[in-house]
C-alpha cells in the first residue's frame, strides 16, 4: 500500500499500512515495529502523522507502547478458559502491585530424555528455556525457569519477554492452557539465586513445579517457580 496526498487523510493511510503488515505477519506479535523516525523516513511523512497512526492502533489494541522500549505488536485478544491459570503479572495487578519481569537468560536446547518425556516429543527436538526474575513494586518475589517446545512457539526468540507475559505469548499463537498440574516443595537456593531474590542462602523458599496443558492434553509448558514465602500468601479452596 502506498501513501499519497489524496483521501483519506495520510495518517489513516499509514494506519492501514501498519495494520496490513501486522495481518500479513511482517510485524510479528510481541515484537517492536520500526520507530517513529524510521516510519517517517520510510513513508516520507512527518512524525506527527506517524504518531497519529500509531495512537489509533494503540486505541484498537493492536499496538502496545512501552516506555523506553518502543511500540510493540500486541496481537489479537483471546478469551482464556481458566482465570486460575493467570500468570505473575496478572496476579500482581489484581493485588494492586506493579509487576516487573527481568529476563535473565533465554536459549534453545535439545529436549533430552527428561523434557522429551514431559512434552511427549523426541529428545532431539528443541525446547525454549527461559529464566526470569519476577518483582512486585520493585521487590524480588520469585525466580522462574520455564521450558516450552520450540515447535509450539517458533518465533518466541523475537518476542521481548520482559514486555509480554507467557500468557500473552500463548494468545499470539492461539494456544489456550486449560489444565495445570502443580506440586510444592520447600527448598533452599544457591548463593547466587538467593542473592537474586534478596534473601540469605539458608532461607527456605517455596518451589512450585507446573505442567500446563491445552484442551487436547498437549503439554505446552513446564516450569519451576522459586517463590519467597515472606512475600506471598497462598490459599487453597476445597469443596465436597
Amino acid at each position: 500500500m502506498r501513501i499519497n496526498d489524496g483521501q483519506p487523510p495520510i495518517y489513516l493511510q499509514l494506519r492501514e499500512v501498519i495494520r496490513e503488515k501486522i495481518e500479513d505477519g511482517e510485524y510479528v506479535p510481541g515484537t517492536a515495529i520500526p520507530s517513529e523516525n524510521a516510519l517517517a523516513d520510510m513513508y516520507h511523512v512527518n512524525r506527527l502523522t506517524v504518531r497519529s497512526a500509531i495512537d489509533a492502533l494503540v486505541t484498537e489494541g493492536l499496538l502496545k507502547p512501552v516506555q523506553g522500549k518502543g511500540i510493540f505488536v500486541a496481537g489479537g485478544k483471546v478469551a482464556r478458559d481458566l482465570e486460575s491459570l493467570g500468570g505473575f503479572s496478572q496476579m500482581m495487578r489484581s493485588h494492586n502491585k506493579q509487576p516487573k519481569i527481568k529476563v535473565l537468560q533465554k536459549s534453545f536446547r535439545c529436549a533430552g530424555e527428561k523434557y522429551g518425556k514431559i512434552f511427549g516429543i523426541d529428545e532431539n527436538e528443541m525446547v525454549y528455556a527461559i529464566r526470569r526474575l519476577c518483582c512486585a513494586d520493585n521487590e524480588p518475589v520469585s525466580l522462574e525457569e520455564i521450558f516450552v517446545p520450540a515447535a509450539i512457539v517458533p518465533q518466541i526468540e523475537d518476542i521481548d519477554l520482559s514486555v509480554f507475559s507467557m500468557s500473552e505469548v500463548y494468545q499470539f499463537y492461539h494456544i489456550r492452557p486449560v489444565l495445570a498440574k502443580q506440586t510444592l516443595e520447600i527448598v533452599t537456593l544457591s548463593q547466587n539465586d538467593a542473592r537474586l531474590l534478596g534473601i540469605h542462602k539458608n532461607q527456605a523458599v517455596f518451589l512450585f513445579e507446573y505442567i500446563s496443558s491445552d484442551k487436547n492434553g498437549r503439554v505446552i509448558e513446564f516450569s519451576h517457580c522459586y517463590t519467597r514465602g515472606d512475600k506471598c500468601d497462598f490459599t487453597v479452596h476445597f469443596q465436597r
Side-chain angles (χ1 to χ4, degrees):
M1 182 180 292
R2 297 174 60 86
I3 302 293
N4 56 59
D5 293 330
Q7 296 295 327
I10 293 177
Y11 88 91
L12 291 179
Q13 296 181 53
L14 182 57
R15 179 195 66 182
E16 294 310 307
V17 168
I18 298 173
R19 187 200 308 279
E20 187 176 285
K21 289 183 179 293
I22 293 172
E23 292 174 350
D24 289 346
E26 183 174 343
Y27 295 161
V28 179
T31 63
I33 67 170
S35 67
E36 289 184 2
N37 284 335
L39 288 170
D41 291 342
M42 195 180 305
Y43 295 104
H44 307 290
V45 297
N46 60 54
R47 284 189 60 188
L48 182 60
T49 297
V50 173
R51 189 166 301 167
S52 296
I54 288 174
D55 286 346
L57 292 171
V58 168
T59 300
E60 292 182 31
L62 287 178
L63 295 178
K64 175 179 180 178
V66 179
Q67 187 173 3
K69 288 181 173 287
I71 307 294
F72 290 77
V73 181
K77 297 182 179 180
V78 178
R80 301 191 57 195
D81 288 342
L82 296 180
E83 285 297 323
S84 59
L85 290 181
F88 176 81
S89 296
Q90 180 183 2
M91 180 175 64
M92 290 299 106
R93 291 191 182 101
S94 72
H95 288 82
N96 298 315
K97 294 184 179 293
Q98 182 61 41
K100 182 177 181 181
I101 294 177
K102 180 180 181 182
V103 177
L104 304 174
Q105 184 179 11
K106 53 183 182 178
S107 61
F108 281 111
R109 52 162 291 174
C110 286
E113 183 178 355
K114 176 180 178 179
Y115 297 110
K117 184 175 181 180
I118 289 173
F119 292 114
I121 60 178
D122 187 273
E123 62 182 41
N124 292 314
E125 290 190 43
M126 303 300 289
V127 297
Y128 199 71
I130 304 153
R131 196 163 188 264
R132 62 186 192 175
L133 181 66
C134 301
C135 303
D137 293 338
N138 291 318
E139 287 289 329
V141 173
S142 62
L143 184 63
E144 295 184 347
E145 298 171 348
I146 303 170
F147 300 87
V148 183
I152 290 179
V153 283
Q155 292 180 296
I156 194 173
E157 72 274 13
D158 297 324
I159 297 175
D160 191 330
L161 296 176
S162 66
V163 174
F164 293 93
S165 69
M166 291 304 298
S167 296
E168 290 173 313
V169 171
Y170 295 143
Q171 289 179 17
F172 298 156
Y173 288 91
H174 305 290
I175 297 168
R176 303 172 70 179
V178 298
L179 180 66
K181 178 182 178 182
Q182 176 179 291
T183 60
L184 171 63
E185 295 181 55
I186 307 297
V187 301
T188 56
L189 298 172
S190 68
Q191 185 169 340
N192 287 338
D193 287 348
R195 187 182 297 115
L196 285 171
L197 280 180
I199 61 175
H200 191 273
K201 68 176 183 177
N202 293 326
Q203 181 176 336
V205 298
F206 292 107
L207 167 57
F208 293 93
E209 184 177 283
Y210 299 91
I211 299 179
S212 301
S213 306
D214 63 14
K215 65 180 181 180
N216 297 317
R218 177 182 60 169
V219 176
I220 59 176
E221 180 184 307
F222 172 79
S223 65
H224 287 122
C225 181
Y226 301 92
T227 302
R228 289 177 56 171
D230 61 334
K231 292 295 182 181
C232 297
D233 292 322
F234 302 100
T235 302
V236 178
H237 299 280
F238 293 95
Q239 182 176 350
R240 287 185 182 274

